[in-house]
C-alpha cells in the first residue's frame, strides 16, 4: 500500500499475516477508483472488532470504528444518510457470520449499496484462535481441543441465498486480482460481497493449501444456479467474480434522488417543526 494511505500507527499483525495483502490491495484499489471517478474523499470505511478491524487504524480513508458484528449496520446508516458516498465495510468471518449474521443477511436481502470485504481466516484470531463459523469440521483450537464437530458456514452461499447482487472471492496472495475485485465491488450499485481467503499464519496457516488449490474464474457464472455450484466447490476454490446482476439498490428505492445529508431542513426549519408538533400536542 502506498504511503499516501498509511497512518503512522504501529502495525501489530503477525509477520506474514494475510491482512497485509488485503491492506495493500485496498490501497491499489483506492488509486484505481480515483481514476474511475471515485475520489478518496467519497470513500468511507467501517470495521467491526477483530484483527481485520485494525485496518481502521492503519488506513487514512475516513470511517467509523463499529462494535463487534455491527459494521454492516453502521455502513447502511452512513449510506442512507449520504447515498453519494461509497461505503466499504471490513469484517471478519467471526465478526460478520457470528455476531453480525443478521445484519449480513438483511443488508444482502435489501440490496444495500455497500461493499463488504470479509477477512476469512476461519478463526477468531484476535482472541487466540477459537473456532469460527467458517472453521472446518475437525478444527482444533482453544474452544475445541478435541476438534470442531460442526459443519462450517459457506459465506458465498449465504450471500447468494440472501440476495446479494455481487458475490466474489479473492485471495490475499493474489493482490492484483483482489484490488480489481474491490474496484468492481465498489462500482457495483447494490450489495457487493467479497470473501477474501486470508490465512492466519499463527492459528490457521493455509497459504500452501490456497496456493495449490485456488484457480481464477475467468467469467462470472451465467446463472444463479451455476453461481451456487461454484460457491459449493470444495476440491478447488474459484477466485474472481462469481455472480453479478443488476437490481435497484435499497437506497435508490427508499430515497429516490434525495440526499438527506445535503437536503435536510435548516436548523431554524427543524425548530419550527418541533414547535409545531409541541403546539399540536397541547391542543390534543
Amino acid at each position: 500500500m502506498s504511503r499516501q494511505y498509511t497512518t503512522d500507527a504501529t502495525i501489530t499483525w503477525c509477520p506474514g499475516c494475510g491482512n497485509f495483502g488485503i491492506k495493500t490491495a485496498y490501497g491499489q484499489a483506492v488509486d484505481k477508483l480515483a481514476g474511475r471517478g471515485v475520489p478518496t474523499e467519497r470513500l468511507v470505511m467501517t470495521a467491526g472488532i477483530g484483527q481485520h478491524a485494525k485496518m481502521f487504524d492503519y488506513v487514512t480513508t475516513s470511517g467509523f470504528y463499529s462494535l463487534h458484528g455491527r459494521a454492516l449496520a453502521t455502513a447502511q446508516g452512513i449510506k442512507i444518510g449520504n447515498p453519494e458516498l461509497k461505503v466499504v465495510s471490513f469484517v471478519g468471518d467471526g465478526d460478520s457470520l457470528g455476531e453480525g449474521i443478521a445484519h449480513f443477511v438483511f443488508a444482502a436481502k435489501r440490496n444495500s449499496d455497500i461493499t463488504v470485504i470479509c477477512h476469512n481466516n476461519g478463526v477468531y484470531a484476535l482472541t487466540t484462535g477459537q473456532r469460527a463459523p467458517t472453521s472446518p469440521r475437525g478444527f482444533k483450537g482453544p474452544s475445541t481441543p478435541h476438534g470442531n464437530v460442526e459443519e462450517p458456514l459457506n459465506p458465498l452461499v449465504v450471500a447468494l441465498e440472501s440476495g446479494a447482487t455481487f458475490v466474489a472471492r479473492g485471495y490475499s496472495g493474489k493482490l492484483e486480482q483482489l484490488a480489481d475485485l474491490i474496484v468492481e465491488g465498489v462500482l457495483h450499485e447494490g450489495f457487493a460481497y467479497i470473501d477474501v481467503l486470508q490465512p492466519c499464519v499463527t492459528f490457521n496457516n493455509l497459504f500452501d493449501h490456497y496456493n495449490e488449490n485456488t484457480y481464477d474464474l475467468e467469467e462470472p457464472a451465467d446463472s444463479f444456479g451455476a453461481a451456487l455450484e461454484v460457491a459449493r466447490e470444495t476440491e478447488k476454490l474459484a477466485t474472481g467474480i462469481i455472480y453479478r446482476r443488476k437490481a435497484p439498490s435499497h437506497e435508490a428505492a427508499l430515497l429516490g434522488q434525495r440526499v438527506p445529508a445535503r437536503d435536510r431542513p435548516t436548523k431554524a426549519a427543524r425548530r419550527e417543526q418541533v414547535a409545531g408538533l409541541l403546539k399540536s400536542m397541547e391542543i390534543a
Side-chain angles (χ1 to χ4, degrees), residues 240-284:
I241 300 173
I242 293 172
Y243 185 66
R244 178 163 54 186
R245 67 179 173 89
K246 293 183 178 180
S249 72
H250 176 62
E251 292 76 16
L254 185 68
L255 300 170
Q257 299 300 315
R258 191 162 68 90
V259 179
R262 184 190 61 206
D263 304 332
R264 63 182 178 179
T266 63
K267 189 174 183 179
R270 294 200 300 274
R271 281 182 170 174
E272 286 185 12
Q273 289 174 350
V274 172
L277 176 64
L278 293 175
K279 187 176 181 180
S280 67
M281 293 173 67
E282 289 175 359
I283 293 174

Side-chain angles (χ1 to χ4, degrees), residues 9 16 62 75-76 90 92 129-130 139 171 179 211 221 229 245 256 258:
S62 298
Q76 292 172 81
F90 291 91
Q130 294 92 340
F139 174 83
Y171 170 37
N211 287 336
E229 289 184 13
R245 67 179 173 89
R258 191 162 68 90

Side-chain angles (χ1 to χ4, degrees), residues 113-126:
D113 186 16
I114 61 176
T115 302
V116 180
I117 300 174
C118 182
H119 299 222
N120 185 354
N121 59 14
V123 293
Y124 284 96
L126 186 66

Side-chain angles (χ1 to χ4, degrees), residues 166-180:
F166 181 102
V167 177
R169 180 194 277 138
Y171 170 37
S172 60
K174 296 180 179 179
L175 297 185
E176 185 174 353
Q177 181 192 52
L178 180 55
D180 289 339

Side-chain angles (χ1 to χ4, degrees), residues 37 96 160 187 269 276:
S96 61
L160 287 166
L187 294 176

Side-chain angles (χ1 to χ4, degrees), residues 44-47 64 66 69-91 96 100-116 190-192 249-252 254-255 260:
V44 179
M45 65 182 293
T46 68
F64 195 97
S66 186
R70 307 295 181 250
L72 301 193
T74 307
Q76 292 172 81
I78 293 172
K79 187 69 185 180
I80 289 176
N82 188 351
E84 294 183 336
L85 295 174
K86 293 290 187 182
V87 188
V88 179
S89 283
F90 291 91
V91 298
S96 61
I101 190 166
H103 297 299
F104 182 104
V105 169
F106 278 85
K109 168 183 169 293
R110 59 175 63 110
N111 198 30
S112 182
D113 186 16
I114 61 176
T115 302
V116 180
F191 187 84
S249 72
H250 176 62
E251 292 76 16
L254 185 68
L255 300 170

Side-chain angles (χ1 to χ4, degrees), residues 201-262:
V201 294
T202 302
F203 301 112
N204 195 23
N205 192 346
L206 296 173
F207 269 115
D208 289 342
H209 176 74
Y210 291 148
N211 287 336
E212 295 173 3
N213 294 289
T214 57
Y215 72 94
D216 295 341
L217 190 66
E218 294 184 0
E219 297 289 339
D222 58 6
S223 69
F224 181 77
L228 277 177
E229 289 184 13
V230 173
R232 287 173 174 151
E233 290 175 346
T234 55
E235 297 276 326
K236 296 288 184 180
L237 303 174
T239 59
I241 300 173
I242 293 172
Y243 185 66
R244 178 163 54 186
R245 67 179 173 89
K246 293 183 178 180
S249 72
H250 176 62
E251 292 76 16
L254 185 68
L255 300 170
Q257 299 300 315
R258 191 162 68 90
V259 179
R262 184 190 61 206

Side-chain angles (χ1 to χ4, degrees), residues 53-69:
K54 295 177 181 176
M55 287 284 286
F56 188 88
D57 300 321
Y58 305 150
V59 176
T60 58
T61 52
S62 298
F64 195 97
Y65 217 145
S66 186
L67 300 175
H68 204 184

